[in-house]
Amino acid sequence: MSVGIIGTGSYLPSKVLTNFDLEKIVDTSDEWIKTRTGISERRIIDDNANISDMAVEASKKALLDADLEVSDIDLIILATCSPETLMPSTSCLVQQKLGAKTIPAFDVSAGCTGLIYAITIGTQFIETGMYEKVLVIGADALSRHLDWTDRTTCVLFGDGAGAVILGKVQKGYGIISNYLAADGKGADLLKIPAGGSGLPATEDSFEKKLHCVQMSGSEVFKFATRALPRATKAALKRANLTIDDVKYIIPHQANIRILENVAKKFGVGFDKLIKNIDKYGNTSTASIAIALDELQRANKIHEGDILLLVGFGAGLTWGANVIKWVKYKKSK
Ligand code: ACO
């Protein structure tokens, strides 16, 4: 028995915010955003929706894809950088909205690497025999934590959710290696300073926009170009594979130039890297799951294909999962 992905789903809000729309909000241009980041447009969550709503939509699609009922799920793990509330966890809200009875549910906070962490955690639960089917979600609405007067951050992010269902697959297939890392020395490079117990909401914190994303863009850029290759190499080594064995690299979508840099470092064709940043911007913990779901639904993944999910994010964190894809049996 191995553990693999037996269903995928994603959800993107319908509201589109283009670079041209942003030109009317801050001192920026479509040309700058496209050439410096690769982003053309992003989705923005509806005013009356929350990340649990997006997570539920993505989860329902993943359940349908796996031909499972919500009652088949044993555990929910939700990765996010923008929890709906500090307490309770967003995963409990999702559990309730899905009608999932009393199965355990918890959130994972690992920056944009959250999905990689959550997949790794979920895999362990199945491997130990504690649970059989785990719903893993990445959902974020960082648009609600952006300073819309700060052109260095507000052009980068979009909202969305992606989900995968982990379950048993035939031996030798599925998730064949994981690699996780973190370095708290870089905690200041990317953060939302206020709103937690360290700096609760005050008039002053609102005035100073301390509930918004703050980022040292060029430092994070440099970190990303080191972290993605490091995670890739480590996870592939654990799987006893090389980059040439990989059919698709599904990286966190933060900046197209970061991905170009990674492709160059590995000497691989740019086609090997899956990209959807042009349409959605950086959807944080959701980005890898959305890209995987789109690829899967386009019937581009075949049995035996090696996929590499690789991410980096606030923390700082980075990590990767190597997967040998198997056409899962649609049975319970
Ligand atoms: N429009 C126009 N000009 C801009 C904009 C904008 N939106 N943003 C910055 N500029 C200007 C700057 O003010 C600067 O002008 P100056 O030279 O007059 O001072 C100039 O453009 C260059 O700025 P840089 O910051 O050097 O631009 P850079 O090429 O580094 O791109 C960017 C900035 C896009 C933020 C890049 O550094 C980046 O992508 N960093 C990584 C971000 C990232 O990966 N974040 C995700 C983390 S994952 C998670 O956990 C959430």
Side-chain angles (χ1 to χ4, degrees):
M1 188 277 288
S2 299
V3 181
I5 290 176
I6 61 169
T8 68
S10 60
Y11 173 82
L12 277 312
S14 55
K15 186 174 167 188
V16 176
L17 184 72
T18 67
N19 293 347
F20 296 105
D21 296 327
L22 281 167
E23 284 182 0
K24 295 174 200 143
I25 301 173
V26 281
D27 179 16
T28 191
S29 67
D30 173 62
E31 206 260 330
W32 192 95
I33 302 171
K34 253 194 219 146
T35 51
R36 307 304 290 177
T37 72
I39 302 167
S40 297
E41 57 187 45
R42 70 289 289 142
R43 302 298 178 91
I44 303 294
I45 191 169
D46 298 340
D47 288 344
N48 56 0
N50 276 311
I51 69 159
S52 61
D53 301 309
M54 296 195 296
V56 164
E57 291 310 313
S59 301
K60 282 183 182 165
K61 288 184 191 162
L63 284 166
L64 207 60
D65 186 44
D67 201 13
L68 293 174
E69 304 291 332
V70 69
S71 55
D72 297 315
I73 299 297
D74 304 307
L75 167 70
I76 300 172
I77 309 176
L78 183 140
T80 187
C81 297
S82 49
E84 198 158 313
T85 52
L86 281 182
M87 192 169 67
S89 68
T90 305
S91 55
C92 283
L93 305 177
V94 171
Q95 184 233 47
Q96 181 254 318
K97 287 183 183 177
L98 277 175
K101 302 226 172 102
T102 57
I103 58 167
F106 62 88
D107 288 3
V108 166
S109 172
C112 295
T113 322
L115 188 92
I116 306 282
Y117 271 64
I119 287 176
T120 308
I121 297 165
T123 302
Q124 317 294 308
F125 275 114
I126 300 174
E127 281 175 349
T128 60
M130 187 156 177
Y131 299 121
E132 285 207 7
K133 294 191 176 65
V134 178
L135 170 61
V136 173
I137 310 161
D140 266 301
L142 279 174
S143 69
R144 297 212 172 139
H145 284 287
L146 293 175
D147 173 357
W148 292 96
T149 63
D150 175 11
R151 66 178 184 175
T152 67
T153 51
C154 77
V155 304
L156 302 175
F157 296 94
D159 303 332
V164 301
I165 295 172
L166 303 177
K168 291 176 188 168
V169 296
Q170 71 196 73
K171 205 168 166 40
Y173 285 82
I175 296 155
I176 51 178
S177 81
N178 299 299
Y179 172 81
L180 303 177
D183 183 1
K185 284 201 294 293
D188 270 345
L189 296 180
L190 181 50
K191 60 183 179 183
I192 298 174
S197 59
L199 194 50
T202 59
E203 262 176 45
D204 186 55
S205 69
F206 277 112
E207 217 161 274
K208 292 183 175 148
K209 299 195 167 146
L210 298 178
H211 304 268
C212 298
V213 172
Q214 293 181 354
M215 182 174 65
S216 306
S218 59
E219 290 306 310
V220 175
F221 190 100
K222 276 185 248 160
F223 154 68
T225 57
R226 289 192 304 268
L228 291 179
R230 256 156 90 186
T232 298
K233 275 187 202 154
L236 285 175
K237 192 169 173 214
R238 285 182 183 176
N240 216 8
L241 297 171
T242 72
I243 196 78
D244 296 330
D245 298 312
V246 177
K247 176 84 178 282
Y248 297 115
I249 301 172
I250 306 176
H252 173 44
Q253 310 283 311
N255 187 320
I256 200 80
R257 291 186 294 131
I258 293 174
L259 305 188
E260 283 164 358
N261 192 295
V262 168
K264 219 177 272 169
K265 263 189 187 156
F266 281 113
V268 298
F270 203 34
D271 283 355
K272 199 178 257 214
L273 282 87
I274 302 307
K275 301 153 293 256
N276 60 18
I277 190 168
D278 57 322
K279 296 183 285 181
Y280 308 135
N282 178 349
T283 56
S284 192
T285 58
S287 86
I288 293 171
I290 294 169
L292 172 65
D293 184 48
E294 289 189 336
L295 195 66
Q296 202 263 121
R297 281 169 198 271
N299 285 324
K300 289 193 175 152
I301 315 176
H302 303 290
E303 183 155 331
D305 283 349
I306 301 291
L307 312 184
L308 177 99
L309 315 189
V310 61
F312 68 94
L316 298 166
T317 57
W318 62 104
N321 312 118
V322 179
I323 301 167
K324 187 171 184 184
W325 196 257
V326 61
K327 202 124 188 83
Y328 42 87
K329 286 191 187 66
K330 298 212 167 195
S331 66
K332 291 178 191 172

